Amino acid sequence: LHKTSATRNIMEGHTKKKLCIEDLTDDEKQEMAKAEETYPYYRSLCPKEKEEKLLKYIAGLREEKQRQNAIKSYHEAMKKFKPKDLELYDLKKWKFDDKFLSLLEFMKKDELKGEFPEPLEEVLDGVFRFPMVEEKFASRLLDEVAYFQDWCKKTGQSIVRPNSMNNYGAILDHFGFKTVMTNNQRVYMIPVFQNSDAVRSGLLGDSALSR
């Protein structure tokens, strides 16, 4: 989990507070003394500035510990989630679009000759759009994500978003999809796009691929 984005919402309960010496635990005081002894930089500062810098250092350690504890609690909570549509978590049960399967077979060839399959569209330089799974299956995937988010809402569990600008998505790896998505990349996506230059040439009608 990324410190700057994905864990932000599971850290909401930890408010930042300026530390004072009186707030430190015995272990933190020992860590502070150790840092002062280890790093000459601190000893070069005036007493007031040294204390401020060391307290800031301890505050950073405390925040990191809270972050790690929050991540651990989050993943423990995720283990309680029970999927609704179990077939989605088994790659063998996925329903792939026939056009995508044709593209896959074409890209597996040793020599990319013949008419290039149609389903790919390059919407931006190096960014492709294509139908990968059947529409009904895609709807089942979206329904499972909605079911997961509804479960989080009912149980009071925070949802880790893909990034700080995404207020609605969820990270599939976190609720059981990690294995199936990894296998999907290995079995289907990498064979298709391991030769991106060939893909782009085919889309642009390169004669070497179209004859």
Side-chain angles (χ1 to χ4, degrees), residues 52-53 55 88 92 103 112 123-124 127 150 156 160 180 186 196 202:
E52 289 177 351
K53 296 288 185 180
L55 285 172
L88 299 176
K92 294 179 181 179
L103 175 66
L112 302 182
V123 293
L124 294 172
V127 178
D150 186 56
V160 174
V180 71
R186 178 177 56 82
S196 59

Side-chain angles (χ1 to χ4, degrees), residues 16 35 62 80 99 106 112 168 185 196 198:
K16 290 186 177 181
R62 181 181 287 189
K80 299 177 183 179
K99 292 181 179 179
F106 181 84
L112 302 182
Y168 304 100
Q185 291 178 18
S196 59

Side-chain angles (χ1 to χ4, degrees), residues 42-55:
Y42 291 116
R43 298 196 297 273
S44 68
L45 303 174
C46 68
K48 183 178 180 180
E49 187 177 9
K50 177 174 66 175
E51 181 177 298
E52 289 177 351
K53 296 288 185 180
L54 285 168
L55 285 172

